[in-house]
Amino acid sequence: MRAATARLWRVIGNHLEADGMSYYLGIDLGGTSIKAGVVDAAGTLLAERSHATPRDGFASVVAAIHEVAERVVEDSGVDRQQVVAAGVGTPGLVDASRGVVRDAPNLVGFREAPLGPSLAEKLQCAVSIENDANAAAFGETWAGAGAAGRDGQHVTDLILLTLGTGVGGGIVSAGRVLHGCHGLAGEVGHMIVVKEGRPCGCGQRGCLEAYASASAVARRAEEAAMQGRWEKPSEGGEPIDAEAVFIAAAAGDLVAREIVSGAAEALGLACLNLCRVLDPRMIVLGGGMAAAGQPLLVAVRDVYRRLTWRLAAGSQVRFELAVLGNTAGMVGAAGIACNACGP
Amino acid sequence: MRAATARLWRVIGNHLEADGMSYYLGIDLGGTSIKAGVVDAAGTLLAERSHATPRDGFASVVAAIHEVAERVVEDSGVDRQQVVAAGVGTPGLVDASRGVVRDAPNLVGFREAPLGPSLAEKLQCAVSIENDANAAAFGETWAGAGAAGRDGQHVTDLILLTLGTGVGGGIVSAGRVLHGCHGLAGEVGHMIVVKEGRPCGCGQRGCLEAYASASAVARRAEEAAMQGRWEKPSEGGEPIDAEAVFIAAAAGDLVAREIVSGAAEALGLACLNLCRVLDPRMIVLGGGMAAAGQPLLVAVRDVYRRLTWRLAAGSQVRFELAVLGNTAGMVGAAGIACNACGP
């Protein structure tokens, strides 16, 4: 019903009179592209547009965001005056309170970059800056997996685990994004799940990311193939990806099942520990590997249930798949902007 | 200096004129005793008093809290009118938003007990209810280890680990206590640090509590003695306590050092994972076992440093010992009451 409403808005958008409603710009700033969307106060995405990310410094990126933002507002048909605030999800380390990107290795010229103030001047509205994984977690909370569903309850305590090249995460507690004192809260991919385990790029050993990222799953399959324990499903010499491993596991391949089960064990243990620390209502799995869908979700939930305590009956967490896909960061950034305007 | 000021206040208290300042009642409700204190807005404890906890039901406990609270205000010499709010730290599961103790097995008649509203009626002021471990964490943040110290910075992101019979905990993030959706956030003693490890009373295996509580340390020493690997330091047949193990370790006893080191390994790993999830400024060790002091602190910090990533230089957490001792819950409850009155 929400999607239908969104389409209706887009169709009638250009004929809208100023209706007193407020709208929000959501920007997802990535290393290769900038995505911009117009979102209403209920989290519905009315229009979206993208633009390549300039590689020649901070000012060019600000100008590109400004351009794509103004154009997507035109696309949406919303009165520009009713777009009251903007939010940006950005990679790297963010100081949300000052709107500064402290460091973002994937963006050229982003060290201590005053993205919030610079964009606010261009867009002439309030701008909130948030780390991209946190923005996505807020998006799933506000308008995705955590939005009022079957039981009519809107979730305010949610953890998003993004399973891709790495394992990212964002935490929403009592409706607020947790930042920690250096903006590093939610680095759940670097919880240690196996002491003295596999090395991780971060310098630790046994990180969740070294077991449960799409890359880790693919790497284990390559290792099994190299050891002659496994025959690659593809005929060519191209590298295996996590999807191929999940497909093989679903078809009953024992080695593939062992690899998937290893990832689920690591995820289940990490989720158990997250629940003891944060007591979330819901844990949401997103990112490329979540395309594996229900089998992955069920495997992780089974590990969690096997490990969890017998105390506090009725307090168990719900496991869900992300529903916003690659719009989560954009919608979440708009949601954070909306929230910042709140009562 | 703070303690001296507190004593001064107590001495001159009865001669104080109404000075326009506000004061707060802090109550630490335990299974055996009720402690009540009067605290000023800077977190200084002006007077304290205790009372046995009645075992004959909710109404008696409320009456006892009321009595000890009114008497400690008299002791403090503060004008009763200037005591503007009260906070209670209580064991068990708390719904802080409603002021209800949902379940507290150590207190008779405390199931869905409306402690906040009932006390507010008696005391004729606003009453905040908080879980005792959370109250203690807030106390250490507000007026203990996290209070403005050498560097003049007041910590707003702090985790307290209470190492006693069990391992309790409380989390303060951006100045707020984290509750989670069922009030179960901060159950850090039941983070799993060894998968398929030692059984814990909660039904899980490998919990931090099974390795790093005072009871766990004592139990390991008893096991070592039973196996003939260790000679008990005491001549009598009385059980070993954690303190004896720490004393033996400090004296160079190898088995005792191995046991202490095992506890530090479990604590260091749990702290590492807490830092990745929450990015606190400070982790504070409290409870009976923290009496082991610097050697324990240093051992835990060393494990943390060995395990931690090479990323985000300068973002490392500080480890400190708790400074409020057994007044943390009382002072913290007053702080929560003070905070609830705030702007």
Side-chain angles (χ1 to χ4, degrees):
Chain A
M1 200 162 103
R2 168 168 294 150
T5 313
R7 274 193 299 276
L8 182 66
W9 275 91
R10 290 177 70 166
V11 171
I12 65 169
N14 285 309
H15 307 287
L16 272 180
E17 299 294 312
D19 55 6
M21 286 177 73
S22 294
Y23 300 88
Y24 306 90
L25 271 163
I27 317 283
D28 184 358
L29 172 57
T32 54
S33 75
I34 298 164
K35 286 182 286 187
V38 175
V39 177
D40 70 14
T44 310
L45 179 62
L46 307 182
E48 61 180 305
R49 179 177 271 272
S50 75
H51 191 294
T53 306
R55 305 293 303 164
D56 56 343
F58 175 67
S60 297
V61 172
V62 171
I65 294 175
H66 182 208
E67 186 195 330
V68 69
E70 295 296 356
R71 291 183 65 182
V72 78
V73 174
E74 284 172 30
D75 295 348
S76 74
V78 165
D79 182 343
R80 180 65 180 82
Q81 300 301 315
Q82 291 178 280
V83 178
V84 296
V88 185
T90 167
L93 193 58
V94 170
D95 181 342
S97 65
R98 295 187 298 136
V100 166
V101 183
R102 304 204 51 204
D103 193 16
N106 293 336
L107 298 168
V108 178
F110 273 65
R111 266 192 95 92
E112 297 296 333
L115 184 58
S118 303
L119 261 182
E121 200 184 322
K122 297 267 192 201
L123 292 170
Q124 292 292 306
C125 68
V127 176
S128 302
I129 307 292
E130 185 54 86
N131 166 271
D132 49 7
N134 290 346
F138 194 85
E140 289 290 348
T141 307
W142 186 53
R150 283 159 295 180
D151 58 1
Q153 272 205 312
H154 201 110
V155 171
T156 56
D157 295 79
L158 180 149
I159 301 169
L160 174 65
L161 299 183
T162 309
L163 313 173
T165 311
V167 173
I171 300 165
V172 178
S173 177
R176 293 160 183 266
V177 171
L178 289 195
H179 292 115
C181 74
H182 309 92
L184 289 167
E187 285 286 356
V188 296
H190 301 285
M191 294 175 77
I192 292 177
V193 292
V194 180
K195 201 167 175 196
E196 316 294 348
R198 295 184 158 236
C200 179
C202 73
Q204 297 180 174
R205 298 185 74 92
C207 290
L208 176 61
E209 182 163 301
Y211 294 84
S213 60
S215 324
V217 166
R219 205 177 314 122
R220 291 203 139 180
E222 285 286 358
E223 284 166 10
M226 298 251 291
Q227 291 159 1
R229 290 200 302 124
W230 197 51
E231 205 171 322
K232 288 193 190 191
S234 65
E235 305 248 325
E238 66 265 39
I240 301 162
D241 64 12
E243 195 184 348
V245 180
F246 275 92
I247 290 169
D253 181 299
L254 290 181
V255 173
R257 287 172 79 159
E258 177 194 310
I259 294 168
V260 168
S261 153
E265 286 288 329
L267 280 167
L269 177 59
C271 289
L272 181 287
N273 283 336
L274 286 167
C275 287
R276 290 304 89 87
V277 175
L278 293 163
D279 184 25
R281 177 88 56 192
M282 187 183 283
I283 293 179
V284 177
L285 303 184
M289 210 163 86
Q294 288 298 323
L296 175 66
L297 197 72
V298 169
V300 174
R301 187 167 58 200
D302 285 352
V303 173
Y304 171 88
R305 286 184 180 165
R306 194 186 77 228
L307 297 178
T308 195
W309 60 14
R310 292 185 305 258
L311 307 179
S315 69
Q316 300 305 345
V317 69
R318 276 167 60 192
F319 286 88
E320 299 286 346
L321 294 169
V323 303
L324 295 181
N326 61 10
T327 69
M330 183 169 59
V331 171
I336 287 164
C338 172
N339 220 33
C341 297
Chain B
M1 200 162 106
R2 168 166 294 147
T5 313
R7 274 193 299 276
L8 182 65
W9 275 89
R10 290 178 70 168
V11 170
I12 65 168
N14 284 307
H15 307 286
L16 274 179
E17 298 295 311
D19 55 6
M21 288 177 72
S22 293
Y23 299 89
Y24 307 89
L25 271 164
I27 316 284
D28 184 357
L29 171 57
T32 54
S33 75
I34 299 165
K35 286 184 287 188
V38 175
V39 177
D40 69 16
T44 309
L45 180 61
L46 307 182
E48 61 181 303
R49 177 178 273 271
S50 74
H51 190 293
T53 306
R55 305 295 300 163
D56 55 343
F58 176 69
S60 297
V61 172
V62 171
I65 294 174
H66 181 208
E67 186 194 331
V68 69
E70 295 295 356
R71 290 184 64 182
V72 78
V73 174
E74 285 172 31
D75 294 348
S76 73
V78 164
D79 182 345
R80 180 65 180 83
Q81 300 301 314
Q82 291 177 281
V83 178
V84 296
V88 186
T90 166
L93 193 57
V94 170
D95 181 342
S97 64
R98 294 189 298 135
V100 166
V101 183
R102 303 204 50 205
D103 193 14
N106 293 338
L107 298 169
V108 178
F110 273 65
R111 267 191 94 93
E112 297 296 333
L115 185 58
S118 302
L119 261 181
E121 199 183 321
K122 297 266 192 199
L123 293 170
Q124 291 292 305
C125 68
V127 176
S128 302
I129 306 293
E130 185 54 84
N131 165 272
D132 49 7
N134 291 345
F138 194 85
E140 288 291 347
T141 307
W142 185 54
R150 284 159 295 179
D151 58 0
Q153 272 204 312
H154 201 112
V155 171
T156 56
D157 295 78
L158 180 151
I159 301 170
L160 173 66
L161 300 183
T162 308
L163 314 173
T165 312
V167 173
I171 300 165
V172 177
S173 178
R176 293 159 183 268
V177 170
L178 289 195
H179 292 114
C181 74
H182 309 93
L184 290 166
E187 284 286 357
V188 296
H190 301 286
M191 295 176 77
I192 292 177
V193 290
V194 180
K195 202 167 174 195
E196 316 295 348
R198 295 183 159 236
C200 178
C202 74
Q204 296 181 174
R205 298 185 74 90
C207 290
L208 175 61
E209 181 163 304
Y211 294 83
S213 59
S215 324
V217 166
R219 206 178 314 121
R220 292 203 137 180
E222 284 286 357
E223 283 166 11
M226 297 251 293
Q227 291 159 1
R229 291 199 300 125
W230 197 52
E231 204 171 322
K232 289 194 192 192
S234 64
E235 305 248 325
E238 66 265 40
I240 301 162
D241 64 13
E243 194 183 350
V245 180
F246 275 92
I247 290 169
D253 181 299
L254 290 182
V255 173
R257 287 171 79 158
E258 176 195 311
I259 294 168
V260 168
S261 155
E265 286 287 328
L267 280 166
L269 176 60
C271 288
L272 182 289
N273 284 336
L274 286 167
C275 287
R276 292 301 91 88
V277 175
L278 293 163
D279 183 25
R281 177 88 55 192
M282 187 183 283
I283 292 179
V284 177
L285 304 184
M289 211 164 84
Q294 288 297 324
L296 175 66
L297 198 70
V298 169
V300 174
R301 187 168 56 199
D302 285 351
V303 173
Y304 172 87
R305 287 184 179 165
R306 195 184 77 228
L307 297 178
T308 195
W309 60 13
R310 291 185 306 258
L311 306 179
S315 69
Q316 300 305 346
V317 70
R318 276 169 60 192
F319 287 88
E320 299 286 347
L321 295 169
V323 302
L324 295 181
N326 63 10
T327 68
M330 183 169 62
V331 171
I336 288 165
C338 171
N339 220 32
C341 297

